[in-house]
Every structure is written in structure tokens, then in C-alpha cells.
Amino acid sequence: MTFCYDLYCHGFGLLDNLGLGYGLNIKVPPSSYNAESWSELTSSEQLKLIDNLYPAVAEEAKKFSTGLMKVKLSLLVMMVNTKV
């Protein structure tokens, strides 16, 4: 998830929810965890954070996949139209 955050920061807009919504929560855990970073969390806190995020992350990944397919389709149509 932090990879999604890093990519979002480098201009990959499709990753906004995965990167900002979830990746950032892992890089900088919510205040309820009393930690400034992932590495400061205990193993059990890390698992708890991941477990809490997982259902929403899985749904967001589906949305991202659908969005990526739409982008690919649009690019394919553009390529076909410019060759004619």
C-alpha cells in the first residue's frame, strides 16, 4: 500500500484512494496507535491495522482495476483511430 502512496505522489492519479486513503494510513498510522511510523508499531498493531483496512482496500482495488481497464480501452481506441 505504501507503494501506491509513493506512485500517487509521483502523478499516478488513479491511485488516489489507495495511496492517500490507505497507503498513507500505513506509512503514518492513525493517532489511535501512538506511533509516528509503521516501524514503530508492534507486530500485533501492524496486523490490527491491516485487518481493519483490508475490506475497504479490496473494494478499492476492484475500482482501480476497472478504472485501469477503461484507460487501456480508451488508449486502444485512440491508437486505432489515429492509424485510420
Side-chain angles (χ1 to χ4, degrees):
M1 294 313 314
T2 60
F3 181 68
C4 292
Y5 171 72
D6 293 337
L7 286 175
Y8 172 76
C9 289
H10 286 92
F12 289 83
L14 280 175
L15 296 171
D16 60 346
N17 288 338
L18 286 171
L20 287 177
Y22 306 108
L24 189 56
N25 263 311
I26 291 173
K27 269 195 178 231
V28 182
S31 60
S32 60
Y33 284 91
N34 268 344
E36 296 291 320
S37 68
W38 174 259
S39 61
E40 293 179 13
L41 294 171
T42 65
S43 295
S44 62
E45 288 174 321
Q46 289 175 347
L47 289 173
K48 180 181 176 186
L49 179 57
I50 290 171
D51 287 345
N52 288 337
L53 293 175
Y54 180 78
V57 168
E59 186 61 34
E60 199 60 43
K62 288 178 189 175
K63 290 179 190 175
F64 172 76
S65 179
T66 300
L68 188 57
M69 291 304 293
K70 289 178 182 177
V71 168
K72 286 181 179 181
L73 181 60
S74 295
L75 289 173
L76 181 61
V77 167
M78 285 175 40
M79 290 172 56
V80 167
N81 288 337
T82 58
K83 288 185 179 185
V84 174

